[in-house]
Amino acid sequence: MIEDAPKSWLRTRVEKTLVKGLSRAYATVQVDPQKFLLQLRLAYRLPIAGYQGVYSLEVHELDNVAEDIIRSGMKFAAAEGAGFGMGGLTTILPDLGILSAITMRTIQKLSLVYGFQFNTDGEIAELWIAAATAAGVDISRELVEKEFVNRFVPRVIQRIAARASAEVVEKWAGRMIPLVSSAIGAGLNYWFVRAWGERAKAHFRERHLQMRQQAIQQTAQSILLPAAPEVLPPAK
C-alpha cells in the first residue's frame, strides 16, 4: 500500500502542507451556520426556520442540495487548480493549502444540510470524523476521545494528511508535464473535492437517517407506553 512506503521529500512536504491547511481551516475558515441557513431558505427554497427543520423534509430534497454544494465546491476547486496548475509542481503546496479550505468548507456545508451543526466540542469532533471518513481514514477506535476535542482534532488532521499525501503525490505527478499542467491541476482538484464530498455526504446522510429512525422509535414508544396510574390519597 502507498501508506506503507517510505515517505519521499515531496510527500513529507505535502503532508505538512495539508496539516497546516486543514488546521487553518479548522481555526479560521468556518462556515457561518446562520448565514448558510439563510442561503438554504432563499437560494434553495427550503421551508425551514432552523436546522432541526431539515428532519421534516423529504431526504431527496436534502440530497439535491448536497449534490449542488459538492458541484459548487468542485467548480471552485477546478478554477483554483487551473490557476495554480500553470506553475507545475512549484505551486502544488500553496494549491493544497487553498484546496484544504475549499474541501473543509464543503464538508461543513454538507454537515449543516443534513442537520448537524458544530457548536459543541462533540459536534466539532463529529465533523472531523466525517472529514476522516471522506479521506478514507478509519478512526473508529478513537471515538472514545471525542470529548477532548483540542487533542482529538489535531490527531485526526495528522491522520488525514498522512493518508491524503500519498494520494496527492501519486496523482499530482502529472503536473510536471509542461503546457498541460493547468488542465491537469484543474482536473485533479475537481476530482479531489468530488471524491471527498461524496464520501462526506454518504456519512452525514447515513447519520441523518439514523436520527430519523430514532425519532420514530421514540414517538412509537411514547404512544405505546401506558399512562401512569393515578395515585389517590389515602382515605382518612
Side-chain angles (χ1 to χ4, degrees):
M1 295 178 64
I2 297 173
E3 293 89 336
D4 297 328
K7 292 183 181 179
S8 65
W9 172 86
L10 178 58
R11 182 178 168 187
T12 300
R13 289 291 304 277
V14 167
E15 184 173 329
K16 289 181 179 179
T17 300
L18 285 170
V19 168
K20 185 181 296 184
L22 291 170
S23 298
R24 186 180 297 113
Y26 167 54
T28 61
V29 190
Q30 293 280 351
V31 174
D32 186 322
Q34 292 308 311
K35 289 183 179 179
F36 187 67
L37 177 62
L38 188 62
Q39 181 182 348
L40 291 177
R41 294 168 61 184
L42 297 180
Y44 294 102
R45 301 185 182 279
L46 296 186
I48 56 176
Y51 287 106
Q52 192 61 29
V54 301
Y55 292 95
S56 63
L57 302 177
E58 295 291 338
V59 177
H60 72 83
E61 293 183 76
L62 305 180
D63 292 341
N64 290 338
V65 175
E67 288 294 337
D68 189 72
I69 287 169
I70 294 172
R71 284 194 296 269
S72 178
M74 289 160 57
K75 293 176 182 177
F76 190 20
E80 181 267 330
F84 277 97
M86 289 188 291
L89 283 179
T90 61
T91 54
I92 190 172
L93 299 182
D95 179 16
L96 286 174
I98 298 174
L99 183 60
S100 298
I102 295 172
T103 304
M104 279 310 303
R105 283 183 64 85
T106 300
I107 292 174
Q108 289 173 12
K109 290 177 181 179
L110 293 173
S111 177
L112 293 170
V113 165
Y114 287 101
F116 302 108
Q117 300 187 64
F118 30 87
N119 298 320
T120 67
D121 284 357
E123 290 169 344
I124 292 172
E126 289 289 351
L127 179 70
W128 283 95
I129 290 170
T133 300
V137 176
D138 180 12
I139 56 171
S140 58
R141 287 174 294 179
E142 298 173 324
L143 297 183
V144 70
E145 296 184 8
K146 285 191 300 181
E147 64 272 22
F148 304 111
V149 68
N150 291 331
R151 186 176 68 179
F152 175 77
V153 171
R155 290 179 62 189
V156 174
I157 288 176
Q158 187 66 55
R159 293 279 298 278
I160 292 173
R163 175 65 182 89
S165 65
E167 199 170 331
V168 165
V169 170
E170 179 184 44
K171 292 183 169 63
W172 262 248
R175 287 177 56 155
M176 291 186 294
I177 304 173
L179 302 179
V180 299
S181 61
S182 178
I184 292 174
L188 289 171
N189 282 17
Y190 186 91
W191 164 84
F192 189 92
V193 174
R194 177 183 179 181
W196 283 45
E198 289 295 342
R199 289 193 290 259
K201 175 197 166 190
H203 175 88
F204 289 124
R205 190 180 195 276
E206 181 180 359
R207 286 194 59 224
H208 178 90
L209 293 176
Q210 290 173 352
M211 295 291 287
R212 287 196 179 215
Q213 187 61 35
Q214 290 174 10
I216 292 172
Q217 292 174 350
Q218 290 173 356
T219 301
Q221 289 175 357
S222 65
I223 294 174
L224 294 175
L225 286 175
E230 182 180 359
V231 179
L232 299 175
K236 296 183 179 179

